[in-house]
Amino acid sequence: DCRREGWLASHGTMDHFDGDAFVRAAQKNLAEDGESLVCGMLGDDPAGVLQLDFRRDADQGAGWIPFCYMLPQTRGQGMGIQLIGEAVSRFRGRGREKLRLRCAPENAVAQRFYRRYGFEKIGEDRDSAVPLDIMEKYIGYGRP
C-alpha cells in the first residue's frame, strides 16, 4: 500500500506501477540482510518505511535507498530526516561514504526534501519504465 500511494504521489498516475516487483525486491533485500527494512515509528504508530539495498553499488562505496516513505499523516512534521539518518547510520557502519536513491523529477516535494538534506542529482536512471533522477549524498567523515 505504501508503494502504491508513493507511486501515485510521485507520478500522478498508476501507469507502469508493478507492486509485485516492488514486493519481490524488498523480500530479496530482506533475505540478504535483516536490516534492510525499517519501520519508522511515532510512539506506538507506524510513521514510515525505509528499504535499504546493501549490495547495489557497494563496490563504489555507496549505499542504496530503494524506498523512503512517510505515511501521509506524518508528512511535513520534520520526521522524514529520521529515516535518512537511519540509513546514514547503517551504511556508515558498513564503510559507505555515499547514499544514493532515485526520485521522480516531477515529484517537487521529494526533490526539495532530498536537496534540503544534501542530495544532489548525479544522473538519470535510463533502465526505469519512468524518468527517475539518481541522487547522491556524501556521508563520509571527511570532505568529499
Side-chain angles (χ1 to χ4, degrees):
D1 289 344
C2 293
R3 276 286 194 169
R4 185 175 298 106
E5 194 280 328
W7 183 276
L8 187 59
S10 293
H11 303 287
T13 175
M14 293 307 291
D15 292 350
H16 304 288
F17 177 78
D18 186 350
D20 291 337
F22 290 131
V23 169
R24 284 191 305 275
Q27 289 172 330
K28 180 181 179 224
N29 292 147
L30 189 57
E32 291 172 353
D33 193 303
E35 291 189 5
S36 67
L37 285 176
V38 178
C39 180
M41 302 293 290
L42 180 59
D44 293 331
D45 299 319
V49 176
L50 177 67
Q51 179 186 351
L52 307 174
D53 185 336
F54 291 106
R55 288 182 183 230
R56 184 173 177 177
D57 290 353
D59 60 332
Q60 298 172 38
W64 263 95
I65 302 175
F67 191 51
C68 183
Y69 175 86
M70 295 299 296
L71 293 169
Q73 64 269 27
T74 62
R75 292 181 191 152
Q77 300 178 36
M79 293 186 292
I81 191 58
Q82 298 298 320
L83 293 180
I84 300 300
E86 187 66 27
V88 169
S89 180
R90 292 179 187 223
F91 281 119
R92 269 187 184 162
R94 294 165 186 245
R96 309 299 169 79
E97 294 191 334
K98 300 174 261 191
L99 286 182
R100 290 186 181 154
L101 53 81
R102 300 179 312 167
C103 185
E106 69 272 15
N107 188 342
V109 172
Q111 286 278 341
R112 268 192 315 273
F113 171 82
Y114 292 125
R115 289 181 190 283
R116 180 181 312 129
Y117 293 110
F119 284 88
E120 297 177 357
K121 179 179 174 179
I122 62 164
E124 297 171 359
D125 187 340
R126 306 221 184 270
D127 296 326
S128 176
V130 295
L132 293 170
D133 291 340
I134 298 174
M135 302 183 80
E136 180 178 276
K137 172 183 178 60
Y138 179 75
I139 62 169
Y141 292 107
R143 288 197 124 35

